Amino acid sequence: MVSDVWGVIQTYLAAYGLKVIAAIIIFIVGRIVAGWLTTLVRKLMERASWDVTLSKFLGDVTYGILLVIVIILSLGALGVDTSTFVAILGAATLAIGFALKDQLSNFGAGFLLLLFRPFEVGHFIEAAGTSGVVEEIGMFTTKLRTGDNKLVYVANSNVIGGNIVNYSAKDTRRIDLTIGVSYEDDLQKVKEEIWNILNSDERILKDPAPTVAVAELADSSVNFVVRPWVKSGDYWPVYFDLLEKIKTRFDEVGISIPYPQMDVHLKKED
């Protein structure tokens, strides 16, 4: 009885022993090579200054693909018909793709955002109808912190599918103000007072130079455009300060900011 069992074992070892050893060697060596190639890919992306999240993601994808190839080669060494396995794997991938098509769309959009980098973490942007500071660029969603400290998770497909306004991409920004004064006011005096206010604020840049000019003879006022340049981080503080300073100074020197008004003439008939 023992001899019969041993004979069966010897038969299987003779038939499959070398194949099993070959499959084990292929799997072990394949994993080592896959890990080495993955590390190489990550180092190359780090040297190219790619985004950390993108580098990690591409490294994981590279390792996963290489590991699948190693497993298929190992099964082939055992004598398994890998064509059937590949077909099943392809069908499963296709089914998963249809089931998760929306998430895959967000995934692909996230990949493009990390690759082309229209904005970075810490930038203030406007995208998909939402404005805020970028807290995180994920593979499926982008996290924005709004001005009132709310977190908004925007699907990446919505972000990349529309216009993206990056307010932090440049070091400087232009403030656009429209200031209306009365038709009775001295326009040269108005310009002089506005220039005095601009020149007294050190946050306003000299180059590019600000613009102060008459832009419109409106129904109830003469409208000036006031366009100073500031550093991006100073935009809102300077914006609010200028409005307050202009109103306060105009009150002091007697320059009026008129309300909308209409002259009505009554005609009396006998």
Side-chain angles (χ1 to χ4, degrees):
M1 183 67 179
V2 175
S3 60
D4 293 338
V5 173
W6 178 245
V8 173
I9 293 175
Q10 287 180 323
T11 302
Y12 276 100
L13 286 176
Y16 298 104
L18 293 178
K19 292 183 179 180
V20 172
I21 294 174
I24 293 174
I25 293 175
I26 290 174
F27 183 76
I28 294 174
V29 174
R31 285 193 61 184
I32 295 173
V33 173
W36 179 78
L37 289 176
T38 301
T39 302
L40 178 62
V41 168
R42 286 175 176 167
K43 287 183 177 180
L44 290 175
M45 288 187 290
E46 289 175 1
R47 289 179 182 176
S49 300
W50 284 33
D51 186 87
V52 176
T53 305
L54 179 60
S55 301
K56 182 179 183 303
F57 166 72
L58 289 179
D60 293 341
V61 170
T62 301
Y63 183 76
I65 293 174
L66 292 175
L67 191 59
V68 170
I69 294 174
V70 169
I71 293 174
I72 293 175
L73 292 176
S74 300
L75 292 175
L78 282 173
V80 177
D81 185 5
T82 55
S83 60
T84 303
F85 178 77
V86 172
I88 294 173
L89 181 62
T93 302
L94 185 62
I96 293 173
F98 276 115
L100 301 176
K101 60 180 181 179
D102 291 336
Q103 293 302 322
L104 289 177
S105 175
N106 291 326
F107 176 82
F111 176 81
L112 293 176
L113 289 175
L114 292 171
L115 181 62
F116 294 108
R117 301 173 71 175
F119 53 82
E120 300 176 1
V121 172
H123 283 184
F124 183 83
I125 70 167
E126 179 182 341
T130 303
S131 300
V133 177
V134 179
E135 293 269 312
E136 180 183 337
I137 307 172
M139 293 312 303
F140 297 99
T141 61
T142 296
K143 185 194 299 183
L144 300 180
R145 175 170 49 83
T146 62
D148 53 353
N149 209 32
K150 293 185 294 188
L151 286 180
V152 180
Y153 295 83
V154 185
N156 287 334
S157 59
N158 293 335
V159 173
I160 206 167
N163 295 332
I164 301 173
V165 182
N166 190 338
Y167 295 99
S168 303
K170 299 296 184 180
D171 294 333
T172 60
R173 287 182 64 186
R174 190 183 73 186
I175 298 175
D176 290 353
L177 298 178
T178 300
I179 306 298
V181 299
S182 171
Y183 273 89
E184 285 74 28
D185 289 319
D186 185 342
L187 300 187
Q188 293 304 316
K189 180 180 179 181
V190 173
K191 292 181 70 173
E192 181 181 345
E193 294 298 337
I194 294 176
W195 274 113
N196 289 337
I197 293 171
L198 296 180
N199 292 331
S200 65
D201 195 325
E202 297 181 353
R203 296 169 297 179
I204 294 176
L205 303 177
K206 306 302 180 183
D207 185 20
T211 298
V212 179
V214 176
E216 183 185 12
L217 301 177
D219 293 338
S220 304
S221 62
V222 178
N223 292 336
F224 281 80
V225 289
V226 181
R227 295 175 176 174
W229 289 83
V230 296
K231 293 182 179 179
S232 296
D234 292 333
Y235 181 88
W236 287 113
V238 175
Y239 182 96
F240 296 136
D241 284 350
L242 280 181
L243 288 177
E244 181 177 348
K245 288 178 180 178
I246 289 174
K247 176 63 169 67
T248 302
R249 185 56 183 167
F250 280 11
D251 290 344
E252 292 174 355
V253 298
I255 297 174
S256 59
I257 300 177
Y259 298 98
Q261 56 186 319
M262 179 182 298
D263 291 334
V264 179
H265 300 276
L266 298 178
K267 183 178 180 181
K268 183 178 180 181
E269 294 183 356
D270 294 335

